[in-house]
Amino acid sequence: MDIAVIGSNMVDLITYTNQLPKAGETLEAPDFSIGCGGKGANQAVAAAKMGASVMMVSKVGDDLFAPNTVANLQQQGVDTRFVTTAPGTSSGVAPIFVDDQSQNRILIIKGANQQLKPADIAAAAEALKSCQLIILQLEIPLETVYYAIDFARQHDIKVILNPAPAVADLNIEYACKCDFFMPNETELEILTGMPVTTDEEVKLAGQSLLKRGLKNLIITLGGRGSLWMSGDNVHQVAPTAVKAVDTSGAGDAFIGCFAHELVKSGDIPAAMAQASAYAACSVTGRGTQRSYPDAETFQRFLNVH
């Protein structure tokens, strides 16, 4: 395997609305859809669609959503040998509200994702040892994230940690063991307690983390592109201009594509440029995984952008 994703899967419950209701108010929304999501699954699917060989270590619930989640991963080319069921537990779900400006607001109920434990990583150890890169997020227990980081270090496997959703008590010492730490600007603000309104503020917040020992910090900035900071070096990638329809899952698209390109070439700026364009392509369609292009579709997108 090229890449292992140890992380979450969710069922996305997406409401498209022109206006969010006030307390006690009922409004009619124009559209709704159900999709497969979760930060871990999204990143796995994005990498697989781009051509990477991807396996996933994850937990599904003991409910009607689970078979569809596993089948979807398999259809997208993700190895699901280590996607197992948590008895008596619901699958993770994510109610998502997308407004008429294409901005999203998301709630998550972790469900079975809370049951992904270090023992599940141990059970997948032999397969994981063959991987070049492990991707982690924070929709699973922190103890499992830390165990995975230690496992990767023991076996000389590169690690991307996406601190999402951000938690203020994340152990930065573990983040510093990772090869890449990849928050968005909101997560950076939560982790540092510093403002991130301007690019200069983002850089100052990033520097505060680098001073604590991070190796490579890549910050995704939505419509402002992305930023790579390492030591005293700063590299910014401009966004690809598109008309956004739905920004849900764009950060995961970025990470999945970046991981694929990093494994393929090892060229960080080039991987960021490709990932930025891939994320831009994803926001031109609705949903999360369903909006991610395969390699051929992405190439057509690049040809006109």
Side-chain angles (χ1 to χ4, degrees):
M1 291 288 160
D2 296 325
I3 296 166
V5 178
I6 300 173
S8 61
N9 66 83
M10 295 275 182
V11 178
D12 290 340
L13 308 171
I14 309 167
T15 299
Y16 296 91
T17 180
N18 299 325
Q19 181 182 348
L20 290 171
K22 300 173 185 176
E25 182 181 23
T26 300
L27 294 175
E28 182 179 350
D31 206 358
F32 172 81
S33 67
I34 297 178
C36 294
K39 293 182 183 301
N42 288 349
Q43 292 163 16
V45 167
K49 281 192 166 185
M50 282 296 291
S53 175
V54 183
M55 63 173 282
M56 190 163 187
V57 181
S58 191
K59 284 283 187 188
V60 293
D62 185 10
D63 57 19
L64 57 84
F65 289 130
N68 184 62
T69 295
V70 175
N72 174 73
L73 288 169
Q74 292 170 345
Q75 290 164 8
Q76 307 293 357
V78 176
D79 184 328
T80 61
R81 283 175 292 163
F82 301 101
V83 178
T84 55
T85 300
T89 305
S90 71
S91 293
V93 296
I96 300 173
F97 303 89
V98 182
D99 66 20
D100 55 5
Q101 301 299 310
S102 300
Q103 295 301 307
N104 62 73
R105 295 167 175 84
I106 304 174
L107 298 170
I108 63 169
I109 298 90
K110 292 182 178 178
N113 296 297
Q114 285 285 71
Q115 303 302 316
L116 190 66
K117 301 295 185 181
D120 296 297
I121 298 174
E126 291 308 310
L128 289 169
K129 289 175 188 177
S130 71
C131 296
Q132 299 181 54
L133 176 69
I134 289 175
I135 306 175
L136 297 160
Q137 326 77 34
L138 301 184
E139 288 180 335
I140 60 174
L142 281 176
E143 65 167 331
T144 308
V145 173
Y146 298 155
Y147 183 93
I149 292 169
D150 284 336
F151 178 91
R153 292 280 64 82
Q154 291 165 9
H155 299 287
D156 197 28
I157 305 168
K158 286 186 170 60
V159 179
I160 291 173
L161 175 57
N162 171 219
V167 289
D169 60 347
L170 176 68
N171 187 330
I172 295 298
E173 289 184 10
Y174 270 95
C176 292
K177 295 180 182 182
C178 299
D179 298 273
F180 295 90
F181 190 68
M182 299 180 66
N184 65 21
E185 56 198 311
T186 302
E187 291 147 6
L188 180 66
E189 182 178 25
I190 292 170
L191 292 166
T192 64
M194 298 173 68
V196 294
T197 307
T198 66
D199 287 353
E200 193 55 40
E201 288 178 344
V202 168
K203 290 174 186 176
L204 288 172
Q207 286 167 357
S208 74
L209 290 180
L210 290 174
K211 287 176 182 176
R212 299 178 70 176
L214 288 183
K215 298 170 187 171
N216 293 287
L217 173 63
I218 295 178
I219 307 159
T220 53
L221 301 169
R224 288 151 55 200
S226 57
L227 188 70
W228 172 34
M229 303 178 69
S230 181
D232 295 325
N233 299 317
V234 177
H235 177 79
Q236 189 147 10
V237 171
T240 301
V242 294
K243 179 175 175 55
V245 173
D246 182 356
T247 59
S248 305
D252 298 329
F254 182 101
I255 290 171
C257 180
F258 175 85
H260 165 67
E261 295 292 334
L262 182 71
V263 167
K264 186 171 73 172
S265 71
D267 186 328
I268 297 172
M272 289 178 65
Q274 287 288 92
S276 185
Y278 190 84
C281 183
S282 79
V283 304
T284 63
R286 283 186 167 188
T288 51
Q289 296 171 25
R290 71 183 64 175
S291 73
Y292 298 168
D294 59 21
E296 183 178 340
T297 304
F298 180 49
Q299 187 56 55
R300 289 199 297 270
F301 174 85
L302 292 177
N303 290 342
V304 297
H305 289 81

